[in-house]
Amino acid sequence: MSAQILLFAAALAALVQGLSHAGHEGNSWAATLVKTASVALLALAGWLLGAPGWIVVGLAFGAAGDFALARPGQAAFLAGMAAFALGHLAYGAEFASRIAGAPSMLALAVIGGMALLVGWTALWLAPWAGVLAWPVRAYGLVIGAMVAAAALCGQTLLLVGSLIFAASDLILALRLFMMRDPRRRLWAGRLLWPLYWGGQALILAGSLR
């Protein structure tokens, strides 16, 4: 199967997820498989296209995280968080390998903004997570490091992809730990999905340039 067909299938799975499942409560197997396939197919396409190994690994961990988070229970949630953290670290390793020269003013501004966001997450958002407060704090640090590395490497698509991926994580945390109104939770889920999948797709595209 060609990489182009896999990319089309990934985009189609992402569209089905966004239109049919994003934001809805429940843990159906149909939603789990469609969500997982949308990123797993990106990983396969990236591998066929010769994407850097760390990017393929990051996408694979993202697919594993999607599968885990789509299943019920705290153990599945923690497994999903761990998978996504490893995926962020894999992306960060690739971005760090591309750093060359002094940081730009944009990079410094992004890093400063992420430092503030990580601090806000640790001091204000994490306590809402209860027993998961420390895992949330650690996860925030990992995201911040990934975005900082993307800013320092100076490649636009990688930075934009990382930023909107991080934005989807923030919306997910707000939805999980703070939002109680069903309508707000629904729309938060619908908003975070295109940011999440689009961020991963941009990271893949940027790594191939």
Side-chain angles (χ1 to χ4, degrees), residues 2-207:
S2 71
Q4 289 74 19
I5 292 175
L6 289 173
L7 288 172
F8 176 79
L12 181 61
L15 181 62
V16 171
Q17 170 66 18
L19 294 177
S20 302
H21 304 294
H24 293 290
E25 307 294 344
N27 307 97
S28 73
W29 277 106
T32 299
L33 295 176
V34 170
K35 185 179 183 184
T36 303
S38 66
V39 177
L41 291 169
L42 281 181
L44 287 173
W47 177 65
L48 289 178
L49 290 168
W54 283 122
I55 299 299
V56 176
V57 169
L59 288 167
F61 274 122
D66 282 331
F67 181 86
L69 287 185
R71 307 314 304 152
Q74 183 170 301
F77 177 80
L78 289 172
M81 181 181 287
F84 278 118
L86 290 171
H88 286 306
L89 288 172
Y91 288 149
E94 175 60 29
F95 303 157
S97 73
R98 297 175 179 231
I99 296 173
S104 66
M105 292 300 296
L106 173 61
L108 293 175
V110 170
I111 292 170
M114 287 305 299
L116 291 175
L117 182 59
V118 169
W120 174 84
T121 299
L123 296 175
W124 190 78
L125 177 59
W128 287 83
V131 297
L132 298 175
W134 282 106
V136 168
R137 290 185 177 106
Y139 189 77
L141 285 172
V142 170
I143 295 173
M146 178 197 71
V147 175
L152 290 170
C153 80
Q155 293 182 246
T156 302
L157 281 182
L158 296 180
L159 177 56
V160 173
S162 298
L163 284 170
I164 63 176
F165 192 179
S168 74
D169 275 323
L170 176 60
I171 296 170
L172 176 61
L174 294 172
R175 182 179 186 272
L176 287 173
F177 304 128
M178 296 184 63
M179 294 182 183
R180 297 293 179 264
D181 179 71
R183 186 170 180 81
R184 288 186 178 181
R185 288 174 59 84
L186 173 64
W187 283 105
R190 288 177 174 174
L191 173 61
L192 75 85
W193 176 251
L195 293 174
Y196 163 73
W197 190 85
Q200 301 257 56
L202 284 176
I203 288 171
L204 173 59
S207 75

